[in-house]
Amino acid sequence: MPVISAPQAFNEEDLYVDLRSLCAHPLFLKCEGFNFSGSIKLKAANAMVEAAERDGVLTPESILVESSSGNLGVALSMIAASKGYRFLCVTDPRCNLTTRLLMKALGSQVHLVSGGESGSGYLGARLDFIRDLCARDERCVWLSQYTNPANWQAHYARTAPAIAQEFPDLDVLFVGAGTTGTLMGCARWFREAERPVRIVAVDSVGSVSFGGPPGRRMIPGLGMSVRPPLLDESLVDEAVRVEEAETIRTCHRLARRGFLFGGSTGTVVSGAMDWLERHRAEDLTAVAIAPDLGERYLDTVYQANWVEGLYGSGALDEDEEADPGYRAPGTGGTPGAGEPAPPRSFLGQ
């Protein structure tokens, strides 16, 4: 019987879902959401905090600060609560309300940027806010998931070896691309192990990570508005892009089979299914990494009015649509409507 004293000590590593009934090709989905933070980001969060502790950067007086669209913020909130650190998450309106409430329930502060504070979109506004905050308050410690090597090292040490152990004959691995920490950690491990595994990055349409024009992205998790500093494209064999409407359809198809996954997982599964179909890959052993679960997306990806307001009535298959007369309180079909104002900053407390 496992007994733990810290929430980050539990993280289910070896659960896979066989998706052949959904995509008609062999595809195993590595589920990374079964921990107390609910996502794969627990690994990176724990690794970055531990590295900062080893380096002597974190002290009892420190204030952890990080930019996150959601899942890393929850993971850091949980770890900060466990270790006694104060934590401020800087996010934007795309972050699900449920996610923000989770961070606050764990004792963290959440600051919401408007996007108008920077010419480089929400991410630029978040980073500008953090830089200014750190310049004004020496207690602030910014982990910087976008540049921190501990981000990819966590997946080099744990995620990739776990997959290799379960699938010694792995042919292709599908990994979602956000900060590219998971992608780079896995790609480096398989390259250095000299395993002939094809690494396919799955990105969102509108992300500039692998080139292409920037575009609107409303589902948090994957994609970047700037090139990820951690990304080394020489380690990636191929990148595929997924429209957000297709992400939503895939999430709903999985849910109809009893598997409630988050938006990042819907994107990865959609990209993997498309790649396998195009390559007619009936004989390949394929694994896709599912970063998150779906409960935090009930008022967005799984809410018909939110989906139709952003992507049109065709975004959902006809038999997946909810009662058209139902409208969730506070949504009004507009993202961010009815949400509480951000709390006051740590500064001055």
Side-chain angles (χ1 to χ4, degrees):
M1 178 180 68
V3 177
I4 63 172
S5 58
Q8 60 269 27
F10 170 73
N11 193 359
E12 172 58 55
E13 188 75 81
D14 301 320
L15 179 65
Y16 294 80
V17 176
D18 187 340
L19 293 181
R20 274 176 289 193
S21 64
L22 179 70
C23 65
H25 295 280
L27 177 62
F28 297 93
L29 189 62
K30 187 180 193 305
C31 301
E32 290 279 356
F34 291 99
N35 56 61
F36 284 104
S37 76
S39 81
I40 196 172
K41 289 292 188 178
L42 176 61
K43 293 178 181 177
N46 199 41
M48 291 190 295
V49 169
E50 288 184 347
E53 290 174 332
R54 287 194 303 270
D55 294 341
V57 174
L58 286 178
T59 69
E61 293 75 33
S62 296
I63 301 172
L64 282 171
V65 181
E66 187 54 86
S67 161
S68 172
S69 60
N71 284 334
L72 183 74
V74 173
L76 285 172
S77 294
M78 187 191 77
I79 293 170
S82 173
K83 291 176 174 282
Y85 295 119
R86 301 165 75 189
F87 173 55
L88 170 64
C89 182
V90 181
T91 188
D92 60 64
R94 293 172 301 180
C95 179
N96 299 325
L97 177 58
T98 301
T99 299
R100 278 177 257 172
L101 293 175
L102 274 171
M103 288 188 278
K104 293 174 187 176
L106 290 164
S108 298
Q109 295 282 83
V110 180
H111 176 78
L112 208 66
V113 301
S114 67
E117 302 150 55
S118 169
S120 55
Y122 285 131
L123 178 58
R126 281 153 45 183
L127 300 185
D128 286 348
F129 180 88
I130 290 177
R131 292 188 187 103
D132 180 66
L133 186 65
C134 291
R136 290 186 288 116
D137 191 333
E138 63 183 11
R139 297 172 299 169
C140 293
V141 176
W142 180 19
L143 296 175
S144 186
Q145 64 165 321
Y146 309 102
T147 60
N148 195 323
N151 185 345
W152 67 263
Q153 288 166 359
H155 303 288
Y156 181 95
R158 294 187 59 182
T159 309
I163 294 170
Q165 181 175 349
E166 295 296 329
F167 294 90
D169 298 320
L170 181 66
D171 294 303
V172 57
L173 177 64
F174 299 95
V175 189
T179 65
T180 67
T182 308
L183 176 65
M184 289 295 95
C186 291
R188 279 194 175 91
W189 191 93
F190 280 105
R191 176 68 63 87
E192 292 179 14
E194 299 182 348
R195 297 281 293 271
V197 175
R198 187 169 187 83
I199 303 295
V200 179
V202 184
D203 199 10
S204 299
V205 170
S207 167
V208 303
S209 296
F210 296 91
R216 183 189 72 169
R217 291 178 293 109
M218 298 305 298
I219 301 175
L222 299 185
M224 292 277 283
S225 57
V226 298
R227 179 182 170 81
L230 296 177
L231 176 62
D232 179 353
E233 286 193 63
S234 70
L235 298 173
V236 179
D237 295 295
E238 189 175 348
V240 298
R241 296 178 178 84
V242 176
E243 294 276 1
E244 287 194 330
E246 189 55 40
T247 290
I248 292 167
R249 281 190 284 269
T250 301
C251 284
H252 282 251
R253 289 169 189 153
L254 287 164
R256 286 193 323 196
R257 288 162 174 80
F259 295 108
L260 193 72
F261 285 108
S264 295
T265 298
T267 301
V268 173
V269 172
S270 178
M273 288 168 52
D274 178 68
W275 190 95
L276 292 169
E277 179 64 29
R278 285 187 288 107
H279 289 78
R280 301 187 181 279
E282 289 84 358
D283 298 325
L284 293 181
T285 299
V287 169
I289 297 177
D292 54 0
L293 302 178
E295 290 90 341
R296 296 171 196 171
Y297 297 82
L298 293 178
D299 56 349
T300 54
V301 168
Y302 294 103
Q303 214 291 314
N305 290 318
W306 187 90
V307 172
E308 292 177 4
L310 287 170
Y311 306 99
S313 58
L316 293 177
D317 294 341
E318 184 175 345
D319 59 344
E320 293 170 347
E321 294 178 2
D323 178 359
Y326 173 75
R327 185 174 298 278
T331 62
T334 304
E339 297 173 355
R344 57 196 177 99
S345 167
F346 276 144
L347 295 179
Q349 292 189 10

